[in-house]
Each structure stands twice: as C-alpha cells, then as structure tokens.
Amino acid sequence: MSRVYNFSAGPAALPLQVLEQIHSEIFDWQGIGMSVMEASHRGKQFVELAERAESNLRDLLAVPDDYSVIFPQGGATMQMAMAPLNLAAPGDTADYIVTGSWGKKAAGEAAKFCTSNVAADSSDKNFTYIADESTWSRSDNAAYLHYTPNETIAGVEFHFVPSGDAPLVADMSSNILSRPIDVSRFGVIYAGAQKNIGPAGITVVIIKDELLDRARANTPHLMTWKSYAESDSMTNTPPTFAWYVADIVFQWLIEQGGVEAMAVVNQRKAMKLYAAIDGSDFYSNPVAKDCRSWMNVPFILADAALDATFLEQSNAAGLTNLKGHRSVGGMRASIYNAVSEEAVDALITFMAEFERTEA
Ligand SMILES: Cc1ncc(COP(=O)(O)O)c(C=O)c1O
C-alpha cells in the first residue's frame, strides 16, 4: 500500500486507522452480513451508531444540553440558505463579517431572503486580515451575526469570538474539532464534513434550542433545523455512509485525547510551517500574523514561474494537493486533524530542498 501525504483543502485526508476500520467492516458490518451502506437507517445498529456519534460529538465539543446537534445533507452551502430561512423574518437584517470567499458567499445567499448587512469586508486587501471589531458597522437588532471562523481559501482564522447580543452563526467547516470552543457563545455552528469530520455528504449543525422556532412559515420542511432536531436527523433518509465514517472519526478523536490534544498538535504543526515560510526569502504568506489559520496555510513562491515545477516535484515526492486556490495563487497546505506532524515535517523538508536547488 502506498499512501501520499494529502494536503487537500477538502475532501481531505482521513486518519489511516479510520480507513482501516472501514476496510475491515465493508462486507459485514456489526455481524449483520451486509455493509453499513446497505443497512436500514431505522435498524437497531444504525440507530445506535447515530446516538453514539451525537453523544461523542457532544463530549468532544462540550455541547451544552440546551443545544441540538443535527446531521443534515447539503453541506455548508445549504446552511448558508438555512441560516436566514431559520432565523430571519422577511425584512429583518442579518449582519455578515466577510473575511473571505465563503463569508462573501454566505452574505450573498442571505441577501435573497433578508437584508444582508456586510458589517466588515476585508476584500480590499484580498482577504488577508480581519478588521478590528470596533470598526464593524453592525446593525441595531440584527437577527444574527454570521462569520466564518476559518476561511479555507485565504487561510484566515479568527483567534477570538466576536462579541455582541445578536446570536452568532459560525461557518466552522474548516476548523471544527481542531481546538476547543465555547459552544455557549454561539447561536448556531455549522460545518460541512469533508475536512475534519469525514466524507462529503453530511453536515454538522449545532443550534441553541431557543432558536429552533424562528423559521419562516414557508420554509421547506427539509430546510428547517427543527425538523432534524425533532427526528434525530432522520427527517428523510440520511447519508448513512458519511454518518458512519463521522462516527469512527469522532471515536478516533477521543482516542487521540480529544480536541484539547488536537489543538496542541495543530498549533505546533501550523507554527513550524509558518516559521519555515517566514524564515525564507523564497516563500511568503500574505496573511496578517494575528489571524493566520492553523488549518489552511497558503504560501507563495518568490518566482511564480517555478509554481509548476514545485507542484511536479512535490507530487513526485508524495506530497499532494498543494496547488493554491486561483484567487490567491501559489500553494496551500491544508493541515487538518488527520494530516500528521510527520506530513508537515516532510513538507518543510521538501520546501527547504526545493529552495536550495531551484531558487
Ligand atoms: C469555510 C467553508 N464554508 C463552506 C464551504 C462549502 O462547503 P460545502 O461544499 O460542504 O457546501 C467550504 C468548502 O470548502 C468551506 O471551506
């Protein structure tokens, strides 16, 4: 078996141990003589899986009892529409902090359903900073404030939680489970699975129960958070295989020591990669130091003409998916929970060698 170091932004690396378990169970899951993909979501084994996944996720993130945890389909993009539909009445205003492409997309989606007030927007510097909170132009009585704690493309992460009275809605797709969070500060947290949770196809949404009754009346049933909260996320047939993998990932995270332990490793991985970039004249990262992401590290080569060679050689060395997003250029290393410190060390060694021989 030959496995590469996968720095993909998503779908992203999964822990080998998780893949091995899936491999061992694929023909006969739980002794029922079939794979989990072929089993009813109403069956005893699947219901147990669903309950365990929720309970483990609650433990991992210390989710308070007055929050619901649901697992819809549709990814984070669906939640960009569900947030206004579930929280804002027509005519209401919702505030958006736009620190990258995903926040911009969320604000655009909300504008279809309510007044979407962009209270801060760092596109003027190609999303390389977060404006000081005191400068945000927030509206009075906003239905909620939406932000993206980690912008996957620009590599910009909030290392603080915004303040204020409006319920906070956070798109944590690319940094959920990477470190402890205080869930009680949030109204809604949502995340597509394909970075730190499991395969694409399932979404995690954590909602303060008192917000479940705000959906506008004409919201499709499948787009109300309440319908999932009331049906244990079995409003319709759920993405069973993705849920199954997420359950194994949660167990793996608990074995690693939970999000507290992940945070220590994640910070160390990120800091050593940034140190290598900052310590070189050949590589650079354009993001302000106070908001650099622990999960997605973009870096630019001093000579863009060498980009193709860098990608070719890194691929040949077993370091894959390093091509940066076209809006930023250069490279991006996504170093989620399942990307080991060994992988980051291998990348740093490769980068130094590339600089020595090609720069
Ligand atoms: C921060 C963030 N939000 C939203 C999305 C879109 O997620 P999905 O494809 O699950 O809808 C992504 C995808 O990469 C993302 O990184």
Side-chain angles (χ1 to χ4, degrees):
M1 180 180 64
S2 147
R3 298 225 354 123
V4 293
Y5 292 129
N6 180 7
F7 296 97
S8 171
L14 283 166
L16 182 58
Q17 191 182 318
V18 170
L19 296 173
E20 281 168 346
Q21 182 171 337
I22 297 165
H23 182 246
S24 74
E25 294 179 336
I26 204 76
F27 294 119
D28 181 7
W29 176 63
Q30 302 267 315
I32 61 170
M34 65 181 88
S35 74
V36 67
M37 288 176 280
E38 302 160 286
S40 166
H41 59 294
R42 306 276 180 208
K44 174 175 167 290
Q45 291 80 3
F46 198 87
V47 169
E48 274 170 21
L49 178 162
E51 286 170 0
R52 181 176 55 243
E54 179 180 337
S55 154
N56 283 340
L57 182 59
R58 282 183 176 276
D59 286 352
L60 280 162
L61 291 178
V63 179
D65 288 344
D66 59 338
Y67 282 69
S68 291
V69 175
I70 63 169
F71 296 88
Q73 310 200 37
T77 307
M78 173 94 113
Q79 295 307 316
M80 292 175 189
M82 282 175 73
L85 285 171
N86 281 268
L87 289 178
D92 276 359
T93 298
D95 286 346
Y96 278 76
I97 307 304
V98 176
T99 54
S101 317
W102 294 112
K104 187 175 174 189
K105 195 170 177 193
E109 196 69 354
K112 297 174 187 167
F113 305 107
C114 62
T115 301
S116 170
N117 168 48
V118 176
D121 179 354
S122 39
S123 61
D124 57 336
K125 291 186 186 160
N126 204 22
F127 299 128
T128 52
Y129 74 106
I130 298 172
D132 193 272
E133 220 185 326
S134 62
T135 67
W136 297 357
S137 32
R138 300 176 65 154
S139 32
D140 297 332
N141 302 318
Y144 58 90
L145 177 117
H146 180 286
Y147 79 115
T148 313
N150 187 68
E151 279 285 355
T152 321
I153 294 173
V156 169
E157 186 165 12
F158 280 72
H159 297 289
F160 66 96
V161 176
S163 53
D165 294 332
L168 267 185
V169 178
D171 173 1
M172 284 196 197
S173 294
S174 49
N175 68 348
I176 195 165
L177 293 165
S178 65
R179 60 168 83 187
I181 48 169
D182 179 357
V183 174
S184 70
R185 301 275 308 270
F186 296 87
V188 180
I189 292 168
Y190 65 86
Q194 61 275 16
K195 292 116 171 29
N196 268 340
I197 296 170
I202 196 162
T203 322
V204 163
V205 190
I206 303 170
I207 314 140
K208 194 165 190 170
D209 287 336
E210 68 184 28
L211 300 175
L212 286 171
D213 286 317
R214 298 195 187 179
R216 57 183 73 186
N218 59 354
T219 306
H221 183 59
L222 210 50
M223 292 189 75
T224 64
W225 290 321
K226 195 172 184 178
S227 68
Y228 295 88
E230 286 182 343
S231 65
D232 297 323
S233 296
M234 301 217 188
T235 314
N236 67 337
T237 312
T240 51
F241 185 74
W243 205 341
Y244 156 77
V245 180
D247 173 45
I248 305 175
V249 170
F250 298 155
Q251 293 175 55
W252 175 81
L253 278 170
I254 290 168
E255 272 176 43
Q256 306 309 302
V259 291
E260 292 76 10
M262 293 319 300
V264 173
V265 180
N266 285 331
Q267 184 176 25
R268 204 165 57 220
K269 280 162 27 189
M271 291 309 134
K272 62 165 78 166
L273 185 48
Y274 286 118
I277 293 166
D278 291 342
S280 132
D281 292 330
F282 183 64
Y283 302 106
S284 62
N285 170 287
V287 178
K289 287 198 171 139
D290 63 352
C291 58
R292 285 176 164 181
S293 168
W294 290 7
M295 294 284 103
N296 310 96
V297 181
F299 56 93
I300 291 158
L301 277 54
D303 179 2
L306 287 171
D307 282 2
T309 318
F310 183 96
L311 287 167
E312 208 174 287
Q313 291 188 16
S314 56
N315 248 318
L319 307 161
T320 66
N321 288 317
L322 284 166
K323 191 173 179 2
H325 193 271
R326 62 190 176 285
S327 62
V328 178
M331 310 297 149
R332 170 178 50 172
S334 294
I335 50 175
Y336 301 120
N337 286 341
V339 177
S340 64
E341 192 159 0
E342 182 189 86
V344 175
D345 289 340
L347 173 60
I348 292 170
T349 304
F350 171 83
M351 288 166 67
E353 186 58 15
F354 185 86
E355 179 176 357
R356 196 181 64 76
T357 54
E358 303 288 338

